Amino acid sequence: MERDLSSAPDDLDVPAFEPDLHIAPTELFRRLADGEELAIYDLREKPSFTLRGAHALRPNDHPLPGAILIDDDGTEATDRAREEAGNIRALYGGINLYRFALNPAVVGDRFLKKDA
């Protein structure tokens, strides 16, 4: 079922999904569920939760090639992924969309780590 966005507010800022730059929450979930080893970096200073296995990334550090960057809404991670070399991708919509799209009541919270 498609959502009708014709009545959405004009100021609604929904960034376009860029496959070479973003990873969808569902793709990330599937890769984690398949046991794939991923380099995940959390750009937030003191998150109350993050993805299991995510490492903090300071502003002057550089992620490993092929890494996935996460933040709250995907904005900072997207900007940072654009700046970095090495096939860096950002979690589309950030951890907020990940948690919304992958409702813990349905899929569980097995990949979320509280008090990171």
Side-chain angles (χ1 to χ4, degrees), residues 47-89:
S48 57
F49 58 89
T50 191
L51 293 174
R52 291 191 193 279
H55 303 281
L57 187 67
R58 294 180 180 93
N60 294 326
D61 292 344
H62 295 283
L64 294 171
I68 298 167
L69 306 180
I70 62 174
D71 62 1
D72 285 324
D73 64 4
T75 304
E76 182 182 355
T78 296
D79 291 344
R80 184 82 183 265
R82 277 195 176 98
E83 295 170 5
E84 295 286 344
N87 193 29
I88 307 300
R89 293 171 75 191

Side-chain angles (χ1 to χ4, degrees), residues 22-39 66-68 87 89 98 111:
H22 294 117
I23 183 168
T26 52
E27 179 185 348
L28 179 57
F29 178 83
R30 280 193 305 268
R31 290 174 68 180
L32 290 169
D34 288 344
E36 190 173 334
E37 292 290 325
L38 301 170
I68 298 167
N87 193 29
R89 293 171 75 191
Y98 183 91
F111 298 116

